[in-house]
Amino acid sequence: MRTYHCFWLLFWAGQPHQSFLTPLSKRTSGFPEKEKVLVLSGNSRRDLHRSKRSWMWNQFFLLEEYTGTDYQYVGKLHSDQDKGDGSLKYILSGDGAGDLFIINENTGDIQATKRLDREEKPVYILRAQAINRRTGRPVEPESEFIIKIHDINDNEPMFTKDVYNASIPEMSEVGTFVVQVTATDADDPTYGNSAKVVYSILQGQPYFSVESETGIIKTALLNMDRENREQYQVVIQAKDMGGQMGGLSGTTTVNITLTDVNDNPPRFPQGTYQFRAPESTPPDSPVGRIKANDADVDENAEIEYSITEGDGYDMFGITTDKDTQEGIITVKKALDFENKNLYILKVEATNTHVDPRFLYLGPFKDAATVKIQVEDVDEPPVFSRPAYIMEVKEDVPINSVIGTVTAQDPDAAKNPVKYSVDRHTDMDRVFNINSGNGSIFTSKPLDRETLLWHNITVIAAEINNPKQSSRVPVFIKVLDVNDNAPEFPMFYETFVCENAKAEQLIQTLSAVDKDDSYSGHQFSFSLAPEAASSSNFTLQDNRDNTAGIFTRKTRYNRHEMSTYFLPVVISDNDHPIQSSTETVTIQVCACDHRGKTVSCNAEALIHPTGLSTGALIAILLCIIILLVTVVLFAALRRQRKKEPLIISKEDIRDNIVSYNDEGGGEEDTQAFDIGTLRNPEAIDDNKLRRDIVPETLFMPRRTATARDNTDVRDFINQRLKENDTDPTAPPYDSLATYAYEGNGSVAESLSSLESVTTDGDQDYDYLSDWGPRFKKLADMYGAMDSDKDS
């Protein structure tokens, strides 16, 4: 049974006197033997404290979480002025006064009305005072006191996190720090062991341990391997009361992950791998994939593959696929089944990130044997050379063989091959080829001066399988033959002065040859035999591929001979010798004293054919006058006014007169209604014409209703009179045609609707008598009559 000691609090009054009370230390336990009394005194400001034992006289203590049905008794207020006659009244103010705490104003008893929780509010400060009931004046000064809530162990420890996550490297030493967990207790840490927390491990042994006071979790087992187990779940308990029986507890979960270290070398699942590759596999193409397994992850599992030895070291290569960590074997050079059909390689897989701490586990690499079988495929023919260069003279006869290409089937079957020329490379069909032996021959004459090189493509295909074909370029150079005679590089047209002297140089000649000469061209010049003796000029060969023309006599007369044609023979020194005859034109000109040409035209002096300046000016003025006349005439025609359409009344013409007023047409169903004429009472004055929009709308006038026996003519006259006198009538004329001609009309019906029903034919011959203006109309209606007759 719990007991409480009673606190007797003493406040000294104005005159010194002694009050009996029971002192209580700061921390107590047990129930009071008597009630707790707070004595109010006039000198209450001087609170007594015994410093040696730290007694506190002005406070009450109340146990939290009271579960009784009655109000919890706190203590009693008593004034030394209270005579017990009910003249004094006790009042209470401060924290919770009147709500949590109530006081009996007659006796001064204080009670708590609700359950109190120290964790919500541990201390309440209140003020007490005694007043006279009759006067309402205080008999004692106001005194302050406190009520402290005694703690009980009603809160379990709470961890700061519901779930903790931690990680440590695998293969860690025993005692490696993992994580620290923390739990707090809301109870009073200064009162008893209610808030003293002790940690223990409920789940996770024997792998981990926890320090009871700090909550630090450490490893407890050596060489924990991630490859065996990666995730661990540890449950930690925090218990108050120092872990003693009866204490409250809370738990939390700690998820611990072992991170990877490179403690596993790569291992091939098999020692030998076999692959097949067709011999037609192009370089850099993959042949197969191999993979070494590594139990580690991420960068610790990265592998580098290499070919260390083997007879296919130069034929194959290997690379690493960074995504799958596989080794990709590729072809480096072209394969040939007929040359070698089996390759053996040794491939090694090595970790790229090695941890020195685990080198004792062995080398972090592994090797395997790879065998690659080359498969035979039907290959196209192979030429003996990658390209052919041939030479042929340009004067070779047609169908002459200039060279041969050779191709063979590389397969074991050695299928026969046929040859052909790609005509896209020989559009003129200058060359052809023997399909059986590959000899190339000419089919047209060659000309080196026209085309020096011919580049053609020869195709070799298997006879049994034409799809298997290959191509080779053939470059044919046309060699030069001396088949072109030398000639002048330009047309020589020189002149000689009338006053020229004998042996005077008037022109230097040169020559060109389209043919090639390995030793250089050597040209010789001479006059043609027919001009050698009778010519007025001489030719001198300078022996340097040039020649000079000299005068033979002293003076020349252009009136006697204005132009001389001098034939010159040019020859080369190649075999066979080629020569040509070129003509030099020499004009006789009048020259000044310095030898500068003045005039070379003899006919101009005798028969002047040019016009004088005055004649040219006269012709130009005539042309200008003619143009001005044409422009003025055109302007006058434009400015001339048009004649009026009708000059006199006697002028009979076809005229078009527009009145700019259209009827309603078929849509104007409201302009008139023949039914209205028969029944005047059915007139709707609100109807307006829909073909045009009136400018102003007036309210319609209601007219008197006509009699039933009113004649239509009288009705029309009546309405006409009304409209003439109606100021609201629309400002336009409307023509309404009614099918009524009156009684006893001599003309009978004039309606065009009835004309189509007549059986008689109309005679339009009178139109021809009206003159030429109605000829077109007469022809039209005359044609209609002809159609009817036919």
Side-chain angles (χ1 to χ4, degrees):
M1 180 177 180
R2 296 185 179 181
T3 60
Y4 293 85
H5 295 289
C6 177
F7 288 104
W8 294 91
L9 305 180
L10 177 63
F11 288 86
W12 296 92
Q15 295 181 356
H17 63 277
Q18 186 176 2
S19 298
F20 299 96
L21 52 89
T22 303
L24 187 65
S25 62
K26 189 175 182 180
R27 294 191 179 186
T28 60
S29 63
F31 290 95
E33 296 178 357
K34 295 182 180 180
E35 63 180 357
K36 294 175 280 185
V37 180
L38 176 62
V39 180
L40 304 179
S41 174
N43 193 17
S44 61
R45 294 183 180 178
R46 296 172 54 194
D47 300 335
L48 294 181
H49 299 280
R50 187 174 180 179
S51 60
K52 184 177 181 180
R53 294 189 180 180
S54 300
W55 287 351
M56 301 178 65
W57 302 96
N58 60 338
Q59 60 185 358
F60 292 113
F61 290 90
L62 191 63
L63 196 65
E64 70 169 334
E65 302 295 344
Y66 174 71
T67 58
T69 57
D70 298 332
Y71 290 165
Q72 187 177 6
Y73 184 75
V74 178
K76 185 179 181 64
L77 295 179
H78 182 71
S79 174
D80 53 2
Q81 300 294 328
D82 189 358
K83 305 301 182 180
D85 55 359
S87 61
L88 296 182
K89 177 183 179 181
Y90 296 95
I91 60 175
L92 188 66
S93 63
D95 295 341
D99 181 18
L100 293 177
F101 303 101
I102 59 176
I103 186 171
N104 190 318
E105 61 182 14
N106 296 322
T107 62
D109 292 329
I110 302 174
Q111 292 178 311
T113 62
K114 299 180 180 178
R115 294 175 59 181
L116 302 178
D117 189 358
R118 189 202 67 83
E119 286 72 34
E120 293 182 1
K121 189 175 181 63
V123 176
Y124 294 87
I125 301 175
L126 295 98
R127 292 177 297 278
Q129 193 174 30
I131 61 175
N132 191 295
R133 288 181 180 272
R134 290 189 299 272
T135 63
R137 302 182 63 180
V139 297
E140 298 283 356
E142 189 178 51
S143 298
E144 184 179 88
F145 65 97
I146 62 175
I147 299 176
K148 285 190 174 182
I149 308 302
H150 256 313
D151 182 50
I152 64 173
N153 190 19
D154 60 342
N155 292 280
E156 71 276 4
M158 300 291 293
F159 284 94
T160 56
K161 295 181 181 179
D162 294 335
V163 177
Y164 289 82
N165 294 299
S167 61
I168 57 169
E170 63 174 332
M171 310 297 289
S172 297
E173 299 290 338
V174 175
T176 302
F177 173 83
V178 179
V179 70
Q180 183 177 9
V181 297
T182 303
T184 58
D185 197 318
D187 294 326
D188 188 1
T190 63
Y191 183 76
N193 294 326
S194 298
K196 185 177 182 180
V197 179
V198 175
Y199 301 94
S200 61
I201 185 168
L202 300 182
Q203 178 182 322
Q205 294 176 332
Y207 307 104
F208 301 94
S209 62
V210 63
E211 293 183 358
S212 60
E213 295 183 357
T214 62
I216 295 176
I217 302 174
K218 298 180 179 180
T219 58
L221 189 63
L222 184 64
N223 295 333
M224 287 189 293
D225 193 0
R226 185 199 65 85
E227 287 71 33
N228 293 332
R229 183 177 178 183
E230 184 178 4
Q231 298 287 339
Y232 293 86
Q233 190 175 73
V234 179
V235 178
I236 302 297
Q237 182 189 62
K239 191 173 184 180
D240 59 10
M241 298 298 293
Q244 298 177 4
M245 185 178 296
L248 303 178
S249 63
T251 60
T252 188
T253 301
V254 182
N255 296 322
I256 301 174
T257 303
L258 297 183
T259 58
D260 185 59
V261 297
N262 193 6
D263 59 340
N264 294 280
R267 290 289 181 263
F268 284 105
Q270 59 193 67
T272 303
Y273 294 85
Q274 292 186 353
F275 298 101
R276 294 180 177 272
E279 62 176 336
S280 60
T281 304
D284 298 329
S285 298
V287 174
R289 291 173 175 253
I290 61 175
K291 180 176 175 60
N293 297 325
D294 194 326
D296 298 321
V297 295
D298 297 333
E299 68 174 13
N300 297 319
E302 293 182 0
I303 300 174
E304 186 77 22
Y305 295 91
S306 61
I307 299 176
T308 57
E309 58 183 61
D311 54 1
Y313 183 82
D314 296 333
M315 300 296 296
F316 298 93
I318 189 168
T319 58
T320 302
D321 188 336
K322 299 300 182 182
D323 296 330
T324 61
Q325 296 300 316
E326 293 178 318
I328 305 174
I329 301 174
T330 58
V331 177
K332 293 173 61 177
K333 297 181 179 180
L335 303 177
D336 189 0
F337 173 82
E338 289 73 23
N339 185 24
K340 187 176 180 60
N341 57 15
L342 180 63
Y343 294 91
I344 299 176
L345 309 173
K346 184 179 180 181
V347 178
E348 190 175 83
T350 307
N351 274 139
T352 56
H353 301 279
V354 179
D355 194 336
R357 296 177 299 170
F358 305 102
L359 290 177
Y360 67 91
L361 297 177
F364 283 78
K365 60 183 179 180
D366 194 15
T369 301
V370 178
K371 295 181 179 181
I372 301 175
Q373 182 72 42
V374 180
E375 296 179 341
D376 187 25
V377 296
D378 190 5
E379 298 177 278
V382 178
F383 284 93
S384 59
R385 299 179 191 176
Y388 292 86
I389 299 178
M390 300 178 182
E391 294 181 347
V392 59
K393 291 185 178 181
E394 60 178 328
D395 61 346
V396 68
I398 297 176
N399 296 328
S400 299
V401 177
I402 62 176
T404 303
V405 297
T406 304
Q408 292 182 350
D409 184 10
D411 300 325
K414 300 298 180 182
N415 295 321
V417 177
K418 64 177 180 179
Y419 303 91
S420 62
V421 176
D422 187 355
R423 291 305 174 188
H424 292 89
T425 61
D426 186 22
M427 301 294 291
D428 297 332
R429 296 181 177 270
V430 180
F431 302 96
N432 212 333
I433 190 170
N434 189 308
S435 62
N437 56 20
S439 59
I440 301 174
F441 55 91
T442 60
S443 58
K444 289 184 179 181
L446 302 177
D447 187 7
R448 187 202 68 84
E449 288 73 31
T450 303
L451 186 61
L452 177 61
W453 284 93
H454 294 267
N455 303 328
I456 65 174
T457 300
V458 175
I459 304 173
E462 294 182 7
I463 296 178
N464 298 333
N465 186 10
K467 293 184 179 180
Q468 294 295 337
S469 63
S470 57
R471 297 167 175 262
V472 68
V474 179
F475 306 102
I476 302 174
K477 182 179 182 181
V478 181
L479 301 179
D480 184 47
V481 175
N482 191 22
D483 57 347
N484 291 279
E487 58 187 4
F488 285 151
M490 65 186 73
F491 175 72
Y492 287 106
E493 184 176 6
T494 187
F495 68 93
V496 61
C497 294
E498 288 182 310
N499 56 356
K501 297 180 180 180
E503 300 299 327
Q504 181 180 346
L505 178 65
I506 61 174
Q507 182 67 53
T508 299
L509 305 177
S510 63
V512 294
D513 195 336
K514 295 181 181 178
D515 296 324
D516 285 337
S517 179
Y518 298 103
S519 59
H521 290 291
Q522 292 293 330
F523 301 123
S524 60
F525 300 87
S526 63
L527 291 177
E530 64 272 13
S533 59
S534 61
S535 177
N536 293 311
F537 302 92
T538 60
L539 181 68
Q540 180 181 342
D541 192 348
N542 298 326
R543 304 297 179 181
D544 60 354
N545 294 337
T546 63
I549 300 177
F550 295 87
T551 58
R552 175 174 287 184
K553 59 183 182 178
T554 301
R555 294 185 62 84
Y556 295 88
N557 190 345
R558 56 176 172 163
H559 301 295
E560 296 178 357
M561 190 68 173
S562 63
T563 303
Y564 293 92
F565 299 98
L566 186 65
V568 178
V569 178
I570 309 172
S571 303
D572 58 20
N573 62 347
D574 292 332
H575 181 77
I577 296 176
Q578 300 289 338
S579 63
S580 64
T581 301
E582 301 289 333
T583 301
V584 179
T585 303
I586 303 174
Q587 287 186 343
V588 181
C589 300
C591 302
D592 57 13
H593 64 281
R594 292 176 296 180
K596 186 176 180 181
T597 303
V598 176
S599 175
C600 295
N601 195 342
E603 289 77 6
L605 298 176
I606 303 173
H607 303 287
T609 58
L611 296 176
S612 63
T613 303
L616 292 175
I617 294 175
I619 293 174
L620 183 60
L621 289 175
C622 291
I623 294 174
I624 293 174
I625 293 172
L626 181 61
L627 291 175
V628 171
T629 303
V630 172
V631 172
L632 291 177
F633 180 75
L636 291 174
R637 286 183 60 87
R638 287 189 177 184
Q639 292 180 359
R640 188 172 57 184
K641 296 182 179 180
K642 295 182 180 180
E643 296 180 357
L645 185 61
I646 300 176
I647 298 177
S648 63
K649 296 182 179 179
E650 289 77 12
D651 190 3
I652 302 174
R653 303 185 184 183
D654 294 336
N655 300 315
I656 299 176
V657 180
S658 176
Y659 295 97
N660 294 325
D661 183 27
E662 297 181 359
E666 295 180 357
E667 295 183 357
D668 188 10
T669 59
Q670 298 183 7
F672 70 92
D673 187 1
I674 192 63
T676 304
L677 300 177
R678 304 303 181 186
N679 186 13
E681 293 182 352
I683 298 175
D684 187 359
D685 292 333
N686 293 329
K687 292 183 179 181
L688 300 176
R689 284 184 57 178
R690 294 189 300 174
D691 55 327
I692 58 175
V693 179
E695 296 180 358
T696 307
L697 294 179
F698 297 93
M699 293 300 296
R701 295 179 58 189
R702 177 62 62 181
T703 58
T705 304
R707 298 186 306 274
D708 293 339
N709 56 355
T710 302
D711 187 79
V712 174
R713 180 176 55 188
D714 297 337
F715 171 75
I716 294 175
N717 293 332
Q718 178 185 350
R719 295 305 300 270
L720 178 60
K721 182 179 180 181
E722 291 175 357
N723 282 275
D724 290 340
T725 58
D726 186 4
T728 63
Y732 52 81
D733 295 334
S734 176
L735 177 62
T737 302
Y738 300 97
Y740 181 76
E741 291 83 18
N743 296 326
S745 174
V746 179
E748 298 182 351
S749 176
L750 299 179
S751 174
S752 61
L753 298 177
E754 297 180 359
S755 62
V756 297
T757 61
T758 60
D759 296 331
D761 294 332
Q762 181 69 31
D763 186 7
Y764 298 100
D765 293 338
Y766 61 90
L767 294 176
S768 301
D769 301 333
W770 287 6
R773 298 182 182 276
F774 294 92
K775 185 178 185 302
K776 183 65 177 177
L777 189 61
D779 294 340
M780 292 174 58
Y781 282 90
M784 294 174 58
D785 294 340
S786 300
D787 293 339
K788 293 180 180 180
D789 296 339
S790 61

